[in-house]
Amino acid sequence: QQQVKQSPQSLIVQKGGISIINCAYENTAFDYFPWYQQFPGKGPALLIAIRPDVSEKKEGRFTISFNKSAKQFSLHIMDSQPGDSATYFCAASGRDDKIIFGKGTRLHILP
Amino acid sequence: NAGVTQTPKFQVLKTGQSMTLQCAQDMNHNSMYWYRQDPGMGLRLIYYSASEGTTDKGEVPNGYNVSRLNKREFSLRLESAAPSQTSVYFCASRPIGGQYGYTFGSGTRLTVV
């Protein structure tokens, strides 16, 4: 049972553009929503995270938008750069200490 | 700071062979996890350990066993490797409490022929 659905599977964006990745979850008990960035040959690294009591969190060029009523959240990368080319995973966790991941989005920024 | 260390980085096994993947963390984290990553499948939880002395099955535990040797170390064992276990394996750790992210190791790329 997939509890976190992520789209699109792959995304190509021009340098300087906005990259948007969307996720939806089912379990209303989730209370922590992180995003991970993974470069080839490396382990995923925590990029940014949000709790459901806020609707938006911004860190530099990266912003999470959160819609609790729709059970959806998204990652926006402003002024996308070639160095942002990576695989991005959304995720969610609740009180049982496990993090459930989406299937990932492969992002490619054209120079 | 080493963070989460996995060994080996690469391994080739023949079908039926056994091996143990090692993981150690130096961040005094309580929880440790083993995931496998396959193309198009994302990261799937194999086993996890919420604290020293406890282990629980995740989404895809069949064919694997784990040992939480102490607070620092969490190993994953394949008793009789199968080609379906060809994957990249990641170990991760997390502090106690729900609202913290994982720290991942750099992975073990395993091929079973």
Side-chain angles (χ1 to χ4, degrees), chain A residues 17-20 61-62 75-80 84 88 107:
Chain A
I18 302 173
S19 304
I20 301 174
R61 296 184 293 108
F62 299 89
L75 177 69
H76 296 232
I77 306 174
M78 312 300 288
D79 186 26
S80 299
D84 297 330
Y88 292 81
L107 174 65

Side-chain angles (χ1 to χ4, degrees), chain A residues 3-105:
Chain A
Q3 298 186 53
V4 180
K5 295 183 179 180
Q6 183 172 347
S7 62
Q9 283 187 302
S10 62
L11 181 63
I12 299 174
V13 175
Q14 291 281 352
K15 179 182 175 181
I18 302 173
S19 304
I20 301 174
I21 304 170
N22 299 300
C23 284
Y25 64 98
E26 300 166 359
N27 189 343
T28 55
F30 288 150
D31 59 3
Y32 175 72
F33 301 89
W35 285 87
Y36 286 82
Q37 180 188 56
Q38 184 181 30
F39 294 106
K42 304 291 185 182
L46 180 64
L47 183 64
I48 186 173
I50 196 168
R51 296 183 301 177
D53 53 349
V54 297
S55 60
E56 185 175 281
K57 183 173 182 179
K58 183 176 181 179
E59 290 185 1
R61 296 184 293 108
F62 299 89
T63 299
I64 301 177
S65 297
F66 189 84
N67 185 329
K68 187 175 181 178
S69 61
K71 294 188 286 185
Q72 295 175 346
F73 58 111
S74 60
L75 177 69
H76 296 232
I77 306 174
M78 312 300 288
D79 186 26
S80 299
Q81 299 297 312
D84 297 330
S85 296
T87 299
Y88 292 81
F89 293 95
C90 64
S93 73
R95 295 183 183 275
D96 65 356
D97 210 33
K98 293 182 291 186
I99 295 182
I100 307 299
F101 290 86
K103 292 190 175 183
T105 296

Side-chain angles (χ1 to χ4, degrees), chain A residues 1 9 31-32 34 36 38 41-46 51-52 87 89 93-104, chain B residues 31 33 35 37 40-43 45 48-50 57-59 90 94-95 97-102 104-107 109:
Chain A
Q1 179 185 6
Q9 283 187 302
D31 59 3
Y32 175 72
Y36 286 82
Q38 184 181 30
K42 304 291 185 182
L46 180 64
R51 296 183 301 177
T87 299
F89 293 95
S93 73
R95 295 183 183 275
D96 65 356
D97 210 33
K98 293 182 291 186
I99 295 182
I100 307 299
F101 290 86
K103 292 190 175 183
Chain B
S31 302
Y33 308 80
Y35 283 83
Q37 183 175 24
M41 300 297 291
L43 291 151
L45 182 63
Y48 70 105
S49 171
K57 295 179 180 179
E59 181 184 358
F90 288 101
R94 189 185 196 190
Q99 297 184 348
Y100 296 96
Y102 290 166
F104 281 90
S106 57
R109 186 173 294 275

